[in-house]
Amino acid sequence: MKQQKGFTLIELIMVIVILGILSAFALPRFVDFSTQATDATEAGLTGAVKSTWGILVAENRVNGNAAFPTVTELAAGIDGDGISAVATGVQVTISGGTQVVPTFTDDSCATATTAVGDSVLCVGSL
């Protein structure tokens, strides 16, 4: 009698079942990475706008000017592509999607800016 080599149907089915179980545990971890990346991008964007606002306020005070930057000046102070001033804040385009970091005309972040020429006294978060 010849000895045959290969796998039985039961062995192949067991391997497929085991791979299915492993992928069921691994897939949610990879999907979660995209959510974390989006959150990190939004946090970085907000931090960049707030940092730029702080720098512009400090520069104005050093130069003897007590004025706060406008939305246009704030957007122009951020280095990068796809950044523009809109009435309600600083708009950034990332991978085809747009995000707007809100700006406010009061220091309690209650009254939103309504024009790109408004002075920014507070920067909100996404």
Side-chain angles (χ1 to χ4, degrees):
M1 193 183 213
K2 263 183 155 180
Q3 190 167 4
Q4 294 189 3
K5 296 181 182 180
F7 297 106
T8 65
L9 184 59
I10 298 292
E11 290 172 327
L12 290 174
I13 291 173
M14 290 305 296
V15 168
I16 292 171
V17 168
I18 290 171
L19 288 175
I21 292 170
L22 290 174
S23 66
F25 284 109
L27 189 61
R29 294 182 188 263
F30 291 116
V31 171
D32 193 39
F33 285 144
S34 64
T35 303
Q36 290 175 352
T38 301
D39 293 345
T41 301
E42 290 176 356
L45 174 60
T46 299
V49 174
K50 287 182 177 184
S51 295
T52 301
W53 179 83
I55 291 168
L56 291 174
V57 168
E59 285 177 352
N60 283 339
R61 292 210 172 127
V62 167
N63 294 331
N65 185 359
F68 287 92
T70 64
V71 179
T72 302
E73 293 168 340
L74 182 58
I78 301 170
D79 192 26
D81 295 331
I83 299 171
S84 59
V86 294
T88 57
V90 177
Q91 178 175 297
V92 179
T93 303
I94 301 172
S95 300
T98 57
Q99 297 286 339
V100 177
V101 177
T103 53
F104 301 90
T105 58
D106 61 340
D107 57 2
S108 63
C109 290
T111 307
T113 56
T114 57
V116 293
D118 288 349
S119 293
V120 178
L121 276 69
C122 181
V123 177
S125 299
L126 288 174

